[in-house]
Amino acid sequence: MRTNALVNQSSAERADELFQQHRHEIFRNTDRLFAKLMLFQWIAAIATALLVSPTTWSGQSSQIHIHVWAALVVGGAVSAFPIWMTRLFPGAAVTRHTIAVAQMLMSTLLIALTGGRIETHFHIFGSLVVLSFYRDWRVLVSATAVVAVDHLVRGIYWPYSTYGVLTASPWRFVEHAGWVVFEDIFLLISCRRSIVEMRAIANRTAALEPGERNFRQTFDEAPMGMAVITLDERIFAANARLCDMLGYSEEELTRLTTEDITFPEDIEEGRHLAAALLDGTAPHTTSEKRYVRKNKTLIWIRRTASLIRDEHGTPQHFLIMIEDISERREQEAELQESKRHLEAALRANHLIMDNSQDVICTIDKAGRFVTVNAASDSLWGYPPSELVGRAYMDLVHPDDRKNTNAVAAELFANRKVTDFVNRCLRKDGSVVDVLWAVSWSEMESTMFCVAHDVTERARIEKALREAKEEADRANTAKSEFLSRMSHELRTPLNAILGFGQLIERQSATDAQRSRVGYILSAGRHLLNLINEVLDISRIEAGNLQMSVEPVRLADAVAESIDLVRPLAAEQDIDLSTSPELDEAYFVRADRQRLKQVLLNLLSNAVKYTPKGGRVMVSHRVSPEGVVRLNVRDTGRGIAADKLSRLFTPFERLGAEESNVEGTGLGLALCQRLMHAMHGSVGVSSTVGNGSTFWIELAAAEAPLASVSPHGRATRTHAADPLRDKRKILYIEDNLSNLTLIEQILADQPEIELITAMQGRLGFELALKHDPDLILLDLHLPDLPGWKVLEQLKRNPATCHTPVVVISADATKRQIDRLLAVGARAYLTKPIDIGEFFKAIDETKSHPVAECVAA
């Protein structure tokens, strides 16, 4: 009982709340209506005054009639205030009564503007009807009071403005007020009925709300998709779960039909099920079908539908419940696919077993054959029937049984052996090499084996090993031959070129000087040929030492152009670089070998460009960090069918018939050098329009970028400013690397840095300055670094000086060789600053005890 009372009280409170909300909404809407009506009436009053009595005359002079001013000023004042109230206090009681008073005053103004015409009195009755929209009888009382007072006062003092007569009519207002009250009675009845209906609606709504709320909550929070569908298949409502399934919002779904979201092949089935529900042949239907999600993907669903009827049995709408079964369908499909694969695998397994050229067998733990396929007959000469139950060790060659038993023991531990080869005896006594792939199954206590005949492969491998050994011996013999030939050819060339230069310098006739010039030119050509052949041989043998490190591209290009410029000047050829070749660009390369490639490309471009032509060097950097350097000439170009042979050794493409000197090895050597520096070289050419040779190298970070100001500051604080000065000699031809060391040591006031860019100059400075430490690069333009190290260690004046090698060659063989020669430490580029300072400190605290024999 107490619970029912609380429920009834709550329902009554909710009904009252709904009633008040509805009523307040009516008040606000009616306020907005009167705001528009007031503005319209004001404009109408002005128009009426201008039409009825726009001017007043005094003799022949006229002026604006007082009615116009009254309509403009009084009408504006009467209208503006209630409009302002609707904005400031919408729905408030004071606003309603203000509007009622203003509306009646506007009616009296219109009556006055028309001289009390009876037609304008009907404006009062129309205003009362509109005021009844508020459904508040108190508003009608305020309006009626204003009408009665207005007619009383104006009937006494201004009867013409109210009744259109000149004599006072103090009691005539009773008649007019009576008619107004008469209308009020009907309007009050209408208001009362409206209020009663509003109350009834509020009570019904409040009573239905709990059930509707429960249904809506059940509908919205259901774990499966639910929707209400109209009889024409339009979606009336959908819950959140269904929206999530299909990827639509509820608003989007309500604009669709069920056929819009159904896979086309499943639409007809849905129509039949809907017809069955409408015919009453089925209380509900269940089907599995496909829906199309918003992103056009398919989803499998299980749909249960029922028809909702009213109390008279008339169909109202469909209620459907939808369950996502996509995962189940996928699992069923995967199961079917797995079943098909299994059946196919079984069929394939039988086919493999029956047709395999390899022996496929199973062996039990005791080492006896359990199953064997027919290939055993061709491999061992035994049919399967003779092998089943027999020990497989009977087939193994006696010399290989010990090793086979060891592999079997390993198999039991590791479960798998895939590359074991032993010799087996065939039935006829011949020997066959067998490659075994075996896996051990502890569960079945069985070995699963595949045995493959590799007798022919073993023979081929043996032949290949012998061929490789022969090729290695031939390659070694070639390298030794080239080395001996280099020495044997250079010795007479030294005399030829030396004496030829002496004869050229001595007083000789023009004819003799011309002949000597031919000798020197041919000798230098032969010397270049020897050098290029040796370089290619070293590259192919892997003996060419490379120091790949960051190299400033602009420096290498500038130095190469300076060397080629005299040759270009002789041919009157314009040799230039693009202004965009920034000094900030670095590439990873061996500095000397990069210059060698550039010199070859530039000299070729100059040699094959006619007089007055042009050779230009340009570059570009790709987004992948690859720098391409282009050497373009304005020569005659190269035919497309000859480009493929351009980098072939000794291939000059017919240039040997011209007066242009060359060996045919330069471009081949360039290609091999670029590959050794992990770069590439190529060409594009058009006959009659010149050629463009290009090289590509990986971009590198500037060496100075690795110097950390923080790291240098830490080192500076740790240093003792009072300790003795130390001299360090750095022998390095790369200006960027020299600048890097200078920057690293810039905050070390106790260290004096001496630099040299050539090996011989570095050796002389070591003798002259007696440094405390020598930093040595290996790739120098005049003398290899390892030779400089040998000279330093042989000389008594420098053999005690510690030497730290700094090189981009990080191979262990190179490091071990230099340390054995006498280097104190070996630092690889790019330099680790911490390791660099550590090496400096160690060379001070642990000086060289004795010289190392070279």
Side-chain angles (χ1 to χ4, degrees):
M1 295 291 291
R2 180 179 177 84
T3 303
N4 292 337
L6 292 175
V7 171
N8 293 334
Q9 180 181 358
S10 175
S11 178
E13 292 173 353
R14 177 58 180 162
D16 185 65
E17 180 183 353
L18 291 172
F19 172 77
Q20 296 299 334
Q21 289 176 355
H22 189 190
R23 195 174 191 187
H24 186 70
E25 186 65 25
I26 291 173
F27 291 160
R28 293 172 62 91
N29 292 337
T30 309
D31 285 347
R32 286 192 288 269
L33 172 65
F34 270 106
K36 297 174 184 178
L37 182 61
M38 287 288 182
L39 181 61
F40 173 76
Q41 288 177 151
W42 179 34
I43 296 171
I46 296 172
T48 301
L50 291 174
L51 290 173
V52 175
S53 52
T55 57
T56 181
W57 293 83
S58 177
Q60 292 185 350
S61 63
S62 66
Q63 59 183 357
I64 296 175
H65 198 282
I66 187 65
H67 285 174
V68 176
W69 291 112
L72 184 63
V73 177
V74 177
V78 170
S79 300
F81 184 70
I83 293 174
W84 176 74
M85 290 288 288
T86 62
R87 298 291 182 182
L88 191 61
F89 305 108
V94 64
T95 303
R96 294 195 296 278
H97 288 283
T98 301
I99 289 174
V101 171
Q103 183 64 24
M104 293 300 104
L105 292 177
M106 183 61 72
S107 296
T108 60
L109 176 61
L110 290 173
I111 293 171
L113 293 177
T114 58
R117 293 177 63 87
I118 189 64
E119 291 87 351
T120 54
H121 281 267
F122 288 103
H123 186 273
I124 294 175
F125 300 113
S127 297
L128 290 172
V129 173
V130 179
L131 285 172
S132 69
F133 291 176
Y134 279 116
R135 304 184 188 183
D136 184 358
W137 60 272
R138 290 180 289 268
V139 174
L140 298 176
V141 173
S142 298
T144 302
V146 170
V147 171
V149 172
D150 172 74
H151 280 60
L152 172 63
V153 173
R154 286 200 296 157
I156 297 175
Y157 298 103
W158 303 283
Y160 181 78
S161 66
T162 302
Y163 305 116
V165 296
L166 297 177
T167 58
S169 302
W171 294 104
R172 195 171 180 179
F173 83 94
V174 176
E175 177 187 355
H176 285 266
W179 285 109
V180 170
V181 171
F182 179 75
E183 183 183 7
D184 285 343
I185 293 172
F186 292 97
L187 293 178
L188 288 173
I189 294 172
S190 176
C191 289
R192 177 175 176 78
R193 286 182 176 178
S194 297
I195 294 298
V196 171
E197 290 177 0
M198 288 171 59
R199 284 282 185 188
I201 291 172
N203 290 333
R204 286 196 300 271
T205 303
L208 293 174
E209 269 190 349
E212 183 180 353
R213 187 164 53 248
N214 291 337
F215 171 77
R216 189 66 194 183
Q217 183 176 3
T218 303
F219 182 81
D220 289 338
E221 298 179 3
M224 64 175 59
M226 296 184 69
V228 176
I229 309 298
T230 61
L231 297 180
D232 58 353
E233 292 293 329
R234 300 199 65 83
I235 301 174
F236 178 75
N239 69 347
R241 176 59 182 146
L242 182 59
C243 294
D244 291 340
M245 283 185 192
L246 301 178
Y248 291 97
S249 66
E250 185 177 4
E251 182 181 356
E252 291 172 329
L253 280 177
T254 55
R255 294 197 294 266
L256 303 175
T257 67
T258 55
E259 293 187 357
D260 293 333
I261 61 173
T262 302
F263 188 64
E265 295 179 5
D266 298 340
I267 291 177
E268 191 61 32
E269 179 189 2
R271 291 174 179 171
H272 290 313
L273 294 175
L277 288 174
L278 290 171
D279 293 343
T281 56
H284 59 79
T285 60
T286 300
S287 62
E288 292 184 0
K289 60 194 309 184
R290 288 161 291 183
Y291 274 173
V292 182
R293 305 181 82 248
K294 185 178 181 180
N295 59 8
K296 305 306 180 185
T297 58
L298 294 181
I299 177 176
W300 275 97
I301 57 100
R302 178 183 175 87
R303 167 175 156 158
T304 302
S306 59
L307 182 63
I308 306 301
R309 303 174 184 268
D310 61 12
E311 61 272 14
H312 305 294
T314 304
Q316 298 294 307
H317 51 258
F318 298 106
L319 177 65
I320 63 172
M321 291 171 285
I322 300 169
E323 179 185 0
D324 184 356
I325 60 170
S326 298
E327 184 176 353
R328 194 199 75 190
R329 295 288 296 216
E330 289 176 2
Q331 291 173 350
E332 291 176 353
E334 290 175 0
L335 183 61
Q336 291 296 326
E337 187 68 17
S338 298
K339 184 179 179 181
R340 285 194 297 270
H341 287 167
L342 181 59
E343 292 173 351
L346 289 173
R347 289 193 298 270
N349 185 50
H350 289 305
L351 289 173
I352 291 172
M353 291 288 291
D354 294 339
N355 300 286
S356 174
Q357 300 299 313
D358 294 335
V359 173
I360 301 175
C361 59
T362 57
I363 301 173
D364 62 19
K365 194 171 185 180
R368 293 184 298 270
F369 286 104
V370 178
T371 61
V372 185
N373 68 339
S376 63
D377 200 355
S378 60
L379 179 61
W380 292 313
Y382 294 98
S385 59
E386 294 183 17
L387 290 178
V388 173
R390 184 175 177 178
Y392 76 91
M393 194 61 70
D394 293 346
L395 302 180
V396 178
H397 192 284
D399 294 342
D400 289 354
R401 289 178 182 176
K402 181 179 179 180
N403 190 29
T404 301
N405 284 327
V407 172
E410 178 185 347
L411 172 66
F412 294 140
N414 299 328
R415 300 288 190 270
K416 195 171 187 180
V417 172
T418 58
D419 55 356
F420 173 62
V421 177
N422 65 2
R423 291 172 296 172
C424 293
L425 297 174
R426 293 172 53 84
K427 189 174 183 178
D428 59 7
S430 60
V431 178
V432 59
D433 291 301
V434 178
L435 172 66
W436 293 87
V438 187
S439 62
W440 167 252
S441 172
E442 188 70 36
M443 182 178 297
E444 287 86 3
S445 295
T446 301
M447 287 185 284
F448 297 90
C449 312
V450 176
H452 178 67
D453 184 356
V454 292
T455 305
E456 182 64 18
R457 192 186 79 175
R459 186 190 65 78
I460 294 173
E461 288 177 351
K462 181 181 179 181
L464 288 175
R465 284 195 301 270
E466 293 173 351
K468 182 178 183 302
E469 291 171 358
E470 183 63 27
D472 290 341
R473 285 194 296 272
N475 191 44
T476 302
K478 182 189 75 170
S479 298
E480 293 175 355
F481 169 76
L482 288 174
S483 179
R484 287 196 299 270
M485 286 300 297
S486 172
H487 181 268
E488 296 299 330
L489 290 174
R490 286 174 186 273
T491 301
L493 275 177
N494 183 51
I496 293 171
L497 293 175
F499 285 111
Q501 293 176 74
L502 285 176
I503 294 173
E504 186 180 38
R505 295 172 63 89
Q506 295 171 353
S507 299
T509 64
D510 292 339
Q512 290 174 334
R513 184 171 286 106
S514 174
R515 293 164 185 166
V516 170
Y518 284 121
I519 294 172
L520 292 177
S521 176
R524 292 191 183 101
H525 177 74
L526 182 56
L527 182 61
N528 288 335
L529 177 60
I530 293 170
N531 290 334
E532 288 174 347
V533 168
L534 287 175
D535 279 343
I536 290 178
S537 177
R538 290 193 191 101
I539 293 173
E540 290 177 348
N543 295 328
L544 186 66
Q545 297 296 323
M546 284 283 183
S547 177
V548 179
E549 58 187 343
V551 176
R552 192 193 303 273
L553 188 61
D555 292 347
V557 172
E559 292 175 14
S560 302
I561 287 179
D562 288 342
L563 293 173
V564 179
R565 198 176 298 279
L567 178 62
E570 291 178 5
Q571 302 293 328
D572 192 24
I573 292 174
D574 179 20
L575 186 59
S576 63
T577 62
S578 61
E580 294 82 9
L581 191 58
D582 195 342
E583 293 188 358
Y585 287 120
F586 283 77
V587 295
R588 291 195 59 77
D590 181 292
R591 181 182 177 83
Q592 298 304 323
R593 298 302 180 178
L594 175 59
K595 287 175 57 180
Q596 184 177 351
V597 172
L598 291 175
L599 282 172
N600 190 289
L601 297 182
L602 288 168
S603 61
N604 280 352
V606 170
K607 286 190 295 184
Y608 291 100
T609 298
K611 287 188 176 183
R614 185 181 181 191
V615 175
M616 188 178 72
V617 180
S618 62
H619 84 291
R620 66 181 177 86
V621 182
S622 70
E624 294 78 20
V626 176
V627 179
R628 170 176 282 200
L629 195 68
N630 300 303
V631 178
R632 174 173 175 75
D633 63 60
T634 57
R636 62 175 180 268
I638 305 170
D641 58 342
K642 296 182 179 180
L643 290 178
S644 60
R645 297 182 284 134
L646 195 59
F647 296 97
T648 304
F650 301 106
E651 179 62 74
R652 299 193 64 201
L653 304 182
E656 62 273 7
E657 300 175 1
S658 67
N659 59 354
V660 179
E661 294 184 353
T663 63
L665 287 174
L667 289 177
L669 179 59
C670 287
Q671 186 183 57
R672 287 160 173 78
L673 289 174
M674 289 304 300
H675 288 169
M677 292 186 287
H678 309 293
S680 59
V681 61
V683 62
S684 60
S685 183
T686 304
V687 176
N689 197 30
S691 304
T692 299
F693 284 82
W694 53 263
I695 60 173
E696 286 187 345
L697 288 164
E701 186 181 24
L704 291 176
S706 63
V707 181
S708 170
H710 175 72
R712 294 204 303 268
T714 303
R715 171 72 187 175
T716 301
H717 296 323
D720 182 2
L722 300 179
R723 62 184 173 181
D724 296 336
K725 285 273 190 177
R726 297 185 66 197
K727 290 182 182 179
I728 295 180
L729 172 63
Y730 186 22
I731 307 173
E732 166 69 73
D733 68 321
N734 191 321
L735 184 59
S736 298
N737 291 334
L738 284 174
T739 306
L740 172 63
I741 298 301
E742 289 175 351
Q743 292 288 331
I744 292 175
L745 298 177
D747 296 328
Q748 308 300 315
E750 75 282 0
I751 293 178
E752 177 185 353
L753 181 65
I754 305 169
T755 61
M757 299 186 71
Q758 293 184 347
R760 293 186 179 88
L761 176 60
F763 181 70
E764 293 173 2
L765 291 176
L767 293 175
K768 179 179 179 180
H769 292 280
D770 188 22
D772 299 290
L773 173 64
I774 297 175
L775 306 176
L776 177 63
D777 182 37
L778 293 182
H779 293 265
L780 301 171
D782 60 336
L783 195 65
W786 62 270
K787 287 189 177 181
V788 177
L789 178 60
E790 287 183 347
Q791 292 181 6
L792 290 170
K793 292 305 171 183
R794 280 200 301 262
N795 195 299
T798 57
C799 66
H800 292 284
T801 305
V803 178
V804 174
V805 175
I806 301 178
S807 175
D809 189 346
T811 58
K812 186 177 185 302
R813 181 173 61 85
Q814 178 77 312
I815 295 173
D816 293 341
R817 185 169 72 89
L818 271 296
L819 293 177
V821 172
R824 181 59 182 275
Y826 194 108
L827 301 179
T828 58
K829 301 175 183 176
I831 296 173
D832 183 284
I833 298 177
E835 293 294 328
F836 176 73
F837 280 119
K838 181 180 178 182
I840 292 178
D841 292 340
E842 288 180 351
T843 54
K844 179 185 177 185
S845 57
H846 302 287
V848 176
E850 58 183 14
C851 293
V852 178

